[in-house]
Coordinates of all heavy atoms in Angstrom, one line a residue:
M1 N -111.4 7.8 -25.0 CA -110.7 9.0 -24.9 C -109.3 8.8 -24.4 O -109.1 8.1 -23.4 CB -111.4 10.0 -24.0 CG -110.8 11.4 -23.8 SD -110.9 12.2 -25.4 CE -109.8 13.6 -25.0
L2 N -108.2 9.3 -25.0 CA -106.9 9.2 -24.6 C -106.6 10.0 -23.4 O -107.2 11.1 -23.2 CB -105.9 9.6 -25.7 CG -105.9 8.9 -27.0 CD1 -105.0 9.6 -28.0 CD2 -105.5 7.5 -26.9
N3 N -105.7 9.5 -22.5 CA -105.2 10.4 -21.5 C -103.9 11.0 -22.0 O -103.4 10.7 -23.1 CB -105.0 9.7 -20.1 CG -104.0 8.5 -20.3 OD1 -103.0 8.6 -21.0 ND2 -104.2 7.5 -19.5
C4 N -103.3 11.9 -21.2 CA -102.1 12.7 -21.7 C -100.9 11.7 -22.0 O -100.2 11.9 -22.9 CB -101.7 13.7 -20.7 SG -102.9 15.1 -20.6
K5 N -100.8 10.7 -21.1 CA -99.7 9.8 -21.3 C -99.8 9.0 -22.7 O -98.8 8.9 -23.4 CB -99.7 8.7 -20.2 CG -98.4 8.0 -20.0 CD -98.5 7.0 -18.8 CE -97.3 6.0 -18.9 NZ -97.5 5.0 -17.8
E6 N -101.0 8.6 -23.0 CA -101.2 7.9 -24.2 C -101.0 8.8 -25.4 O -100.5 8.5 -26.5 CB -102.6 7.3 -24.3 CG -102.8 6.1 -23.3 CD -104.2 5.7 -23.1 OE1 -105.1 6.6 -23.2 OE2 -104.5 4.5 -22.7
A7 N -101.5 10.1 -25.2 CA -101.4 11.0 -26.3 C -99.9 11.3 -26.6 O -99.5 11.4 -27.8 CB -102.1 12.3 -25.9
N8 N -99.1 11.4 -25.6 CA -97.7 11.7 -25.7 C -97.0 10.5 -26.4 O -96.1 10.7 -27.2 CB -97.0 12.0 -24.4 CG -97.2 13.5 -24.1 OD1 -96.4 14.3 -24.6 ND2 -98.1 13.8 -23.2
R9 N -97.4 9.3 -26.0 CA -96.8 8.1 -26.6 C -97.1 8.1 -28.2 O -96.2 7.9 -29.0 CB -97.4 6.9 -26.0 CG -96.8 5.6 -26.4 CD -97.3 4.4 -25.6 NE -98.7 4.3 -25.5 CZ -99.4 3.7 -26.5 NH1 -98.9 3.1 -27.5 NH2 -100.8 3.7 -26.4
L10 N -98.4 8.4 -28.5 CA -98.7 8.5 -29.9 C -98.0 9.6 -30.7 O -97.5 9.4 -31.8 CB -100.2 8.7 -30.1 CG -101.1 7.4 -29.8 CD1 -102.6 7.8 -30.0 CD2 -100.8 6.3 -30.8
M11 N -97.8 10.7 -30.0 CA -97.1 11.8 -30.7 C -95.6 11.4 -31.0 O -95.1 11.8 -32.1 CB -97.1 13.0 -29.7 CG -98.3 13.8 -29.8 SD -98.2 15.4 -29.0 CE -98.8 15.0 -27.4
S12 N -95.0 10.7 -30.1 CA -93.6 10.3 -30.4 C -93.6 9.1 -31.5 O -92.7 9.1 -32.3 CB -92.8 9.9 -29.2 OG -93.5 8.8 -28.5
Q13 N -94.6 8.3 -31.4 CA -94.7 7.2 -32.4 C -95.0 7.8 -33.8 O -94.5 7.2 -34.8 CB -95.7 6.2 -32.0 CG -95.3 5.3 -30.9 CD -96.3 4.3 -30.5 OE1 -97.4 4.2 -31.1 NE2 -96.0 3.4 -29.5
E14 N -95.7 8.9 -33.8 CA -96.1 9.5 -35.1 C -94.9 9.9 -35.9 O -94.9 9.9 -37.1 CB -97.0 10.7 -34.7 CG -97.6 11.4 -35.9 CD -98.4 12.6 -35.5 OE1 -98.0 13.3 -34.6 OE2 -99.4 12.9 -36.2
L15 N -93.8 10.2 -35.2 CA -92.6 10.6 -35.9 C -91.9 9.4 -36.5 O -91.1 9.6 -37.5 CB -91.6 11.3 -34.9 CG -92.2 12.5 -34.2 CD1 -91.2 13.1 -33.2 CD2 -92.7 13.6 -35.1
D16 N -92.1 8.2 -36.0 CA -91.4 7.0 -36.5 C -92.3 6.1 -37.4 O -91.7 5.4 -38.2 CB -91.0 6.2 -35.3 CG -90.0 6.9 -34.4 OD1 -89.2 7.7 -35.0 OD2 -90.1 6.8 -33.2
R17 N -93.6 6.2 -37.3 CA -94.4 5.3 -38.1 C -95.7 6.0 -38.4 O -96.1 7.0 -37.8 CB -94.7 4.0 -37.4 CG -95.6 4.2 -36.2 CD -96.0 2.8 -35.6 NE -96.7 3.0 -34.3 CZ -98.1 3.0 -34.3 NH1 -98.8 2.9 -35.4 NH2 -98.7 3.1 -33.2
K18 N -96.4 5.5 -39.4 CA -97.7 6.1 -39.7 C -98.8 5.6 -38.8 O -98.9 4.3 -38.6 CB -98.1 5.6 -41.2 CG -99.0 6.5 -41.9 CD -98.9 6.2 -43.4 CE -100.0 6.9 -44.2 NZ -100.5 8.1 -43.7
L19 N -99.5 6.5 -38.1 CA -100.5 6.0 -37.2 C -101.8 5.6 -37.9 O -102.0 6.0 -39.0 CB -100.9 7.2 -36.2 CG -99.8 7.8 -35.4 CD1 -100.3 8.9 -34.5 CD2 -99.1 6.8 -34.5
S20 N -102.5 4.7 -37.3 CA -103.8 4.3 -37.9 C -104.8 5.4 -37.8 O -104.6 6.4 -37.1 CB -104.3 3.1 -37.1 OG -104.8 3.5 -35.8
W21 N -105.8 5.3 -38.6 CA -106.9 6.3 -38.6 C -107.4 6.6 -37.2 O -107.5 7.7 -36.8 CB -108.0 5.9 -39.5 CG -109.0 7.0 -39.7 CD1 -109.0 8.0 -40.6 CD2 -110.2 7.2 -38.9 NE1 -110.0 8.8 -40.5 CE2 -110.8 8.3 -39.4 CE3 -110.8 6.5 -37.8 CZ2 -112.0 8.8 -38.9 CZ3 -111.9 7.0 -37.3 CH2 -112.6 8.2 -37.8
S22 N -107.7 5.5 -36.4 CA -108.3 5.7 -35.1 C -107.3 6.3 -34.1 O -107.6 7.1 -33.3 CB -108.8 4.4 -34.6 OG -107.8 3.4 -34.5
E23 N -106.0 6.0 -34.3 CA -105.0 6.6 -33.4 C -104.8 8.1 -33.7 O -104.8 8.9 -32.8 CB -103.6 5.9 -33.7 CG -103.5 4.5 -33.0 CD -102.2 3.8 -33.5 OE1 -101.8 4.0 -34.6 OE2 -101.7 3.0 -32.7
R24 N -104.8 8.4 -35.0 CA -104.7 9.8 -35.4 C -106.0 10.6 -34.9 O -105.9 11.7 -34.4 CB -104.6 10.0 -36.9 CG -103.1 9.9 -37.3 CD -103.0 10.2 -38.8 NE -103.5 9.1 -39.6 CZ -104.2 9.2 -40.7 NH1 -104.5 10.4 -41.1 NH2 -104.6 8.1 -41.3
F25 N -107.1 10.0 -35.0 CA -108.3 10.7 -34.6 C -108.3 10.9 -33.1 O -108.7 12.0 -32.6 CB -109.5 9.8 -35.0 CG -110.9 10.4 -34.7 CD1 -111.4 11.4 -35.5 CD2 -111.6 10.0 -33.6 CE1 -112.6 12.0 -35.1 CE2 -112.8 10.6 -33.3 CZ -113.3 11.6 -34.0
G26 N -108.0 9.9 -32.3 CA -107.9 10.0 -30.9 C -106.9 11.1 -30.4 O -107.2 11.9 -29.5
L27 N -105.8 11.1 -31.1 CA -104.7 12.1 -30.8 C -105.2 13.5 -31.1 O -105.0 14.4 -30.3 CB -103.5 11.7 -31.6 CG -102.3 12.6 -31.4 CD1 -101.8 12.6 -29.9 CD2 -101.1 12.1 -32.2
K28 N -105.8 13.6 -32.3 CA -106.3 15.0 -32.7 C -107.3 15.5 -31.7 O -107.3 16.6 -31.4 CB -106.8 14.8 -34.1 CG -107.0 16.2 -34.8 CD -107.5 15.9 -36.2 CE -107.9 17.2 -36.9 NZ -108.4 17.1 -38.2
L29 N -108.2 14.6 -31.3 CA -109.3 15.0 -30.4 C -108.7 15.4 -29.1 O -109.1 16.4 -28.5 CB -110.2 13.7 -30.2 CG -111.5 14.0 -29.6 CD1 -112.4 14.8 -30.5 CD2 -112.2 12.7 -29.3
H30 N -107.7 14.6 -28.6 CA -107.1 15.0 -27.3 C -106.4 16.3 -27.4 O -106.6 17.2 -26.5 CB -106.2 13.8 -26.8 CG -105.6 14.1 -25.5 ND1 -106.1 13.7 -24.3 CD2 -104.5 14.9 -25.2 CE1 -105.3 14.1 -23.3 NE2 -104.3 14.8 -23.8
V31 N -105.6 16.4 -28.4 CA -104.8 17.6 -28.6 C -105.7 18.9 -28.7 O -105.3 20.0 -28.2 CB -103.8 17.5 -29.8 CG1 -103.2 18.8 -30.2 CG2 -102.7 16.5 -29.5
S32 N -106.8 18.7 -29.3 CA -107.7 19.9 -29.5 C -108.3 20.3 -28.2 O -108.8 21.4 -28.1 CB -108.8 19.6 -30.5 OG -109.7 18.6 -30.0
M33 N -108.3 19.4 -27.2 CA -108.9 19.8 -25.9 C -107.9 19.9 -24.8 O -108.3 20.3 -23.7 CB -110.0 18.7 -25.5 CG -111.1 18.7 -26.4 SD -112.4 17.6 -25.8 CE -111.7 16.0 -26.0
C34 N -106.7 19.7 -25.0 CA -105.7 19.7 -24.0 C -104.5 20.6 -24.3 O -103.8 20.4 -25.3 CB -105.1 18.2 -23.8 SG -103.8 18.1 -22.5
D35 N -104.4 21.7 -23.6 CA -103.4 22.7 -23.9 C -102.0 22.2 -23.7 O -101.1 22.5 -24.5 CB -103.6 23.9 -22.9 CG -104.7 24.8 -23.4 OD1 -105.2 24.6 -24.5 OD2 -105.1 25.7 -22.5
G36 N -101.8 21.3 -22.7 CA -100.4 20.8 -22.5 C -100.0 20.0 -23.7 O -98.9 20.1 -24.2
C37 N -100.8 19.1 -24.2 CA -100.5 18.2 -25.3 C -100.4 19.0 -26.6 O -99.7 18.7 -27.5 CB -101.5 17.0 -25.4 SG -101.2 15.9 -24.0
S38 N -101.3 20.0 -26.7 CA -101.3 20.9 -27.9 C -99.9 21.5 -28.0 O -99.3 21.5 -29.1 CB -102.4 21.9 -27.8 OG -102.3 22.8 -28.8
N39 N -99.4 22.1 -26.9 CA -98.1 22.7 -26.9 C -97.0 21.7 -27.2 O -96.0 21.9 -27.9 CB -97.8 23.4 -25.6 CG -98.6 24.7 -25.5 OD1 -98.9 25.3 -26.5 ND2 -98.9 25.1 -24.2
A40 N -97.1 20.5 -26.5 CA -96.1 19.5 -26.7 C -96.0 19.1 -28.2 O -94.9 18.9 -28.7 CB -96.4 18.3 -25.8
R41 N -97.2 19.0 -28.8 CA -97.2 18.5 -30.2 C -96.6 19.6 -31.1 O -95.9 19.3 -32.0 CB -98.7 18.3 -30.6 CG -98.7 17.6 -31.9 CD -100.0 17.0 -32.2 NE -99.8 16.1 -33.4 CZ -100.8 15.8 -34.3 NH1 -101.9 16.4 -34.1 NH2 -100.5 15.0 -35.2
K42 N -96.9 20.8 -30.8 CA -96.3 21.9 -31.6 C -94.8 21.9 -31.5 O -94.1 22.0 -32.5 CB -96.8 23.3 -31.1 CG -98.1 23.7 -31.7 CD -98.5 25.1 -31.2 CE -100.0 25.3 -31.3 NZ -100.5 26.1 -30.3
Q43 N -94.3 21.6 -30.3 CA -92.8 21.6 -30.2 C -92.2 20.4 -30.9 O -91.2 20.5 -31.5 CB -92.5 21.5 -28.7 CG -92.7 22.9 -28.0 CD -92.4 22.9 -26.5 OE1 -92.0 21.8 -26.0 NE2 -92.5 24.0 -25.9
M44 N -92.9 19.2 -30.8 CA -92.4 18.1 -31.5 C -92.4 18.3 -33.0 O -91.5 17.9 -33.7 CB -93.3 16.8 -31.2 CG -92.9 16.2 -29.9 SD -93.7 14.6 -29.8 CE -93.5 14.3 -28.0
G45 N -93.5 19.0 -33.5 CA -93.5 19.3 -34.9 C -92.4 20.1 -35.4 O -91.8 19.9 -36.4
V46 N -92.0 21.1 -34.6 CA -90.9 22.0 -34.9 C -89.6 21.2 -35.0 O -88.9 21.4 -36.0 CB -90.8 23.1 -33.8 CG1 -89.5 23.9 -34.0 CG2 -92.0 24.1 -33.9
V47 N -89.4 20.3 -34.0 CA -88.2 19.5 -34.1 C -88.2 18.6 -35.3 O -87.2 18.5 -36.0 CB -88.1 18.6 -32.8 CG1 -87.0 17.6 -32.9 CG2 -87.9 19.5 -31.6
H48 N -89.3 18.0 -35.6 CA -89.4 17.1 -36.7 C -89.2 17.8 -38.0 O -88.4 17.3 -38.9 CB -90.8 16.5 -36.7 CG -91.0 15.3 -37.7 ND1 -90.0 14.3 -37.8 CD2 -91.9 15.0 -38.6 CE1 -90.4 13.4 -38.7 NE2 -91.6 13.8 -39.2
N49 N -89.7 19.0 -38.2 CA -89.5 19.8 -39.4 C -88.1 20.2 -39.5 O -87.5 20.2 -40.6 CB -90.4 21.0 -39.4 CG -91.9 20.6 -39.7 OD1 -92.1 19.6 -40.3 ND2 -92.8 21.5 -39.3
A50 N -87.5 20.5 -38.4 CA -86.1 20.9 -38.4 C -85.2 19.8 -38.9 O -84.3 20.0 -39.6 CB -85.7 21.4 -37.0
C51 N -85.5 18.6 -38.5 CA -84.8 17.4 -38.9 C -84.9 17.2 -40.4 O -83.9 16.9 -41.1 CB -85.3 16.1 -38.1 SG -84.7 16.0 -36.5
K52 N -86.1 17.3 -40.8 CA -86.4 17.1 -42.3 C -85.6 18.1 -43.1 O -85.0 17.8 -44.1 CB -87.9 17.2 -42.6 CG -88.6 15.9 -42.5 CD -89.9 15.9 -43.3 CE -91.1 16.4 -42.5 NZ -92.3 16.2 -43.1
H53 N -85.6 19.3 -42.6 CA -84.9 20.4 -43.3 C -83.4 20.1 -43.3 O -82.7 20.3 -44.3 CB -85.1 21.7 -42.5 CG -84.6 22.9 -43.2 ND1 -85.1 23.2 -44.5 CD2 -83.7 23.8 -42.9 CE1 -84.4 24.3 -44.9 NE2 -83.6 24.7 -44.0
A54 N -82.9 19.6 -42.2 CA -81.5 19.2 -42.1 C -81.1 18.1 -43.1 O -80.1 18.2 -43.8 CB -81.1 18.8 -40.7
F55 N -82.0 17.1 -43.2 CA -81.8 16.0 -44.2 C -81.8 16.6 -45.6 O -81.0 16.1 -46.5 CB -82.8 14.9 -44.0 CG -82.6 14.0 -42.8 CD1 -83.6 13.8 -41.9 CD2 -81.3 13.5 -42.6 CE1 -83.3 13.0 -40.8 CE2 -81.1 12.7 -41.5 CZ -82.1 12.4 -40.6
G56 N -82.7 17.5 -45.9 CA -82.8 18.1 -47.2 C -81.5 18.8 -47.6 O -81.0 18.7 -48.7
L57 N -80.9 19.5 -46.6 CA -79.6 20.2 -46.9 C -78.5 19.1 -47.2 O -77.7 19.4 -48.0 CB -79.3 21.0 -45.7 CG -80.1 22.3 -45.5 CD1 -79.7 23.0 -44.2 CD2 -80.1 23.2 -46.7
D58 N -78.6 18.0 -46.4 CA -77.6 17.0 -46.7 C -77.6 16.4 -48.1 O -76.6 16.2 -48.7 CB -77.8 15.8 -45.7 CG -77.2 16.1 -44.3 OD1 -76.5 17.1 -44.2 OD2 -77.5 15.4 -43.3
D59 N -78.9 16.2 -48.6 CA -79.0 15.7 -49.9 C -78.4 16.7 -50.9 O -77.8 16.2 -51.9 CB -80.5 15.6 -50.3 CG -81.1 14.4 -49.6 OD1 -80.3 13.5 -49.1 OD2 -82.3 14.3 -49.5
K60 N -78.6 18.0 -50.7 CA -78.0 18.9 -51.6 C -76.5 18.9 -51.7 O -75.9 19.0 -52.7 CB -78.5 20.3 -51.3 CG -79.9 20.6 -51.9 CD -80.3 22.0 -51.7 CE -81.8 22.1 -52.2 NZ -82.5 23.2 -51.6
T61 N -75.9 18.8 -50.5 CA -74.4 18.8 -50.4 C -73.8 17.5 -51.0 O -72.7 17.5 -51.4 CB -73.9 18.9 -48.9 OG1 -74.6 17.9 -48.1 CG2 -74.3 20.3 -48.4
N62 N -74.7 16.4 -51.0 CA -74.2 15.1 -51.6 C -74.2 15.1 -53.1 O -73.5 14.3 -53.7 CB -75.0 14.0 -51.1 CG -74.7 13.6 -49.7 OD1 -73.6 14.0 -49.2 ND2 -75.6 13.0 -49.0
Q63 N -74.9 16.0 -53.7 CA -75.1 16.0 -55.2 C -73.9 16.6 -55.9 O -73.3 17.5 -55.4 CB -76.3 16.8 -55.6 CG -77.6 15.9 -55.4 CD -78.8 16.7 -55.6 OE1 -78.8 17.9 -55.9 NE2 -80.0 16.0 -55.5
Ligands
LIG1 ZN1 -103.1 15.9 -22.7

């Protein structure tokens, strides 16, 4: 079982690389039981999606 520190480390790594099946499973399990990490993950997801959206806009302006 991951602790919060390990879960947070995986959450930030998740944005840069593909996690292994066991890493994703451990993270999902922890997030489903931990409100703090659940909120942190939601916030990271929002930032990540905002970045992707920004890159998408850049592609359009380059065309
Ligand atoms: Zn936690």
Side-chain angles (χ1 to χ4, degrees):
M1 183 66 191
L2 297 176
N3 60 34
C4 289
K5 195 179 168 187
E6 288 165 337
N8 275 280
R9 185 172 54 83
L10 284 178
M11 277 190 268
S12 59
Q13 287 183 0
E14 188 182 32
L15 304 179
D16 298 324
R17 69 174 175 92
K18 207 164 170 23
L19 300 182
S20 72
W21 185 88
S22 60
E23 284 171 330
R24 273 185 288 138
F25 182 77
L27 180 58
K28 195 176 173 183
L29 193 68
H30 180 94
V31 166
S32 70
M33 292 189 292
C34 177
D35 283 347
C37 290
S38 176
N39 286 332
R41 191 166 194 211
K42 273 182 206 150
Q43 286 178 358
M44 279 192 196
V46 168
V47 172
H48 192 44
N49 286 337
C51 283
K52 271 203 270 190
H53 189 57
F55 284 128
L57 290 177
D58 280 349
D59 285 342
K60 274 182 186 160
T61 52
N62 286 339
Q63 280 171 359

